[in-house]
Structure formats: structure tokens, C-alpha cells
């Protein structure tokens, strides 16, 4: 992994908690038991992982591709691995996987030149990272494991649900919040 243009104005660029982060954490926290092992993919600042740990009492680990996000997550006391999605983990390990993916559509010629771009953009339809995630996440889930995925109307919720189904998942929307420019939906996925 390369050290992309990691700084703006001398400060590391880490995706900061916003409406999507807060919706995901608030929706998922009551869905998790204290005896569960949870993976947050793309932890950014670590706020979601830390809330799941403190409020649900679950054991939480996290991943992020951005080394600055890993440092921010670790500073919140959450064990974190610098990794692309779920790549480093063994099969059948996690009871729950939580992901607030990069979902904003981007121009095909956009050079993902800094960590903030990597954190928020997901290709021309906004689904490039989501599609890769859905292709591999079942591998790391325990038998009755479930996934909580935040999706934007800009990404196409129905298209994400179709991709999830093609990868063996059932889906239900369990949380939603609307804004003038998009609607955010938290999907619960299970096999």
C-alpha cells in the first residue's frame, strides 16, 4: 500500500464522523450482543467501532487501508489492522461485520490522489468497493453471522441489494435518514 497524498494543510486526512457514521452506529448498536466478535471495515476515525464496543459491550476489531485512520482508531482503544477490506482474516471468524463504505460516485478519470478521496469515493456508480466487499465478506462470517452495510441513494440501494443476493445474502433495511441530497440506508444482510 502506498502513502497517498496523506496530508492536507499539514494534517493527516481521516474521514471524520458525519451523519452516515452516526446513523450506522445508532442503528447497529442495539443489534449486537455483548458476547459477539465484531469487525468494522473502513474504521476511519474509529468512532463507530468505539461506540459498538462501549455501548454494546462486544469485542470489536477494525480495519482501514489508510494508516492515519488506523492510528485514529487505535487511539480510541480499538485493535485495528491496516488492510484492504476483510483480506487478512480467517474464514468463519466474525459474528458481525459493519461497513460504512466509500459510496459517492466519482468521475472515471478521477485520480484517487489522497486518503479522503479513497475514504469517500466508490467508482463511477459508487459501488466498486461495495461490490468487492459483498463478494468476499461471507467468507469471514460465522454460521449465523450478519453484515450491517450503510448505503446511499446516490449508490443505488436496489443495486446493492441485488449484488448482495447474488452473493447469497438476504437483506432488510433497518435504518434510514433522508437529507436534501441523498437518503442513507442501513442494510442488515444475512445468509
Amino acid at each position: 500500500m502506498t502513502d497517498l497524498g496523506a496530508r492536507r494543510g499539514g494534517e493527516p486526512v481521516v474521514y471524520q464522523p458525519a451523519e452516515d457514521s452516526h446513523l450506522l452506529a445508532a442503528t447497529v448498536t442495539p443489534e449486537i450482543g455483548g458476547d459477539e466478535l465484531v469487525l468494522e471495515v473502513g474504521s476511519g476515525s474509529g468512532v463507530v467501532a468505539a461506540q459498538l464496543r462501549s455501548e454494546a459491550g462486544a469485542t470489536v476489531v477494525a480495519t482501514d487501508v489508510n494508516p492515519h485512520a488506523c492510528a485514529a482508531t487505535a487511539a480510541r482503544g480499538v485493535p485495528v489492522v491496516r488492510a484492504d477490506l476483510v483480506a487478512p482474516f480467517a474464514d468463519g471468524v466474525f459474528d458481525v461485520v459493519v461497513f460504512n463504505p466509500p459510496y459517492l460516485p466519482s468521475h472515471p478519470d478521477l485520480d484517487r490522489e489522497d486518503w479522503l478521496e479513497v475514504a469517500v469515493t466508490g467508482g463511477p456508480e459508487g459501488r466498486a468497493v461495495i461490490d468487492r466487499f459483498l463478494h468476499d465478506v461471507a467468507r469471514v462470517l460465522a454460521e449465523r453471522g450478519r453484515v450491517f452495510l450503510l448505503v446511499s441513494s446516490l449508490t443505488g440501494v436496489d443495486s446493492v441489494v441485488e449484488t448482495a443476493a447474488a452473493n447469497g445474502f438476504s437483506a432488510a433495511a433497518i435504518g434510514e435518514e433522508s437529507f436534501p441530497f441523498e437518503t442513507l440506508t442501513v442494510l442488515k444482510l444475512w445468509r
Side-chain angles (χ1 to χ4, degrees):
M1 291 177 225
T2 62
D3 191 16
L4 301 176
R7 298 183 179 273
R8 282 191 185 166
E11 295 298 318
V13 177
V14 174
Y15 184 76
Q16 294 302 305
E19 295 85 0
D20 53 356
S21 308
H22 299 300
L23 174 63
L24 184 62
T27 303
V28 174
T29 298
E31 297 276 335
I32 294 176
D35 61 342
E36 293 190 293
L37 180 57
V38 178
L39 171 65
E40 185 192 10
V41 174
S43 61
S45 70
V47 71
V48 173
Q51 182 174 332
L52 296 176
R53 184 193 65 220
S54 67
E55 292 184 21
T59 300
V60 181
V61 297
T63 68
D64 204 296
V65 70
N66 177 345
H68 307 287
C70 291
T73 299
R76 292 183 185 271
V78 176
V80 62
V81 176
R82 184 175 181 205
D84 184 25
L85 303 175
V86 299
F89 299 104
D91 295 357
V93 174
F94 295 101
D95 300 300
V96 175
V97 178
V98 178
F99 191 23
N100 180 1
Y103 59 75
L104 293 177
S106 61
H107 190 276
D109 296 330
L110 177 69
D111 179 18
R112 291 169 43 122
E113 61 196 39
D114 66 35
W115 289 118
L116 191 55
E117 289 296 324
V118 170
V120 300
T121 59
E125 289 84 33
R127 293 189 300 272
V129 177
I130 294 169
D131 291 349
R132 286 193 312 111
F133 170 77
L134 289 172
H135 179 71
D136 199 30
V137 69
R139 178 185 64 75
V140 301
L141 285 177
E143 185 177 334
R144 296 183 189 269
R146 58 230 187 269
V147 175
F148 296 93
L149 178 67
L150 186 125
V151 182
S152 167
S153 56
L154 300 173
T155 309
V157 177
D158 291 341
S159 295
V160 173
V161 169
E162 289 172 14
T163 301
N167 284 281
F169 287 102
S170 295
I174 62 166
E176 190 172 274
E177 192 168 352
S178 292
F179 301 93
F181 55 92
E182 71 180 334
T183 297
L184 300 174
T185 302
V186 178
L187 295 174
K188 178 179 181 179
L189 309 176
W190 67 94
R191 294 176 289 167

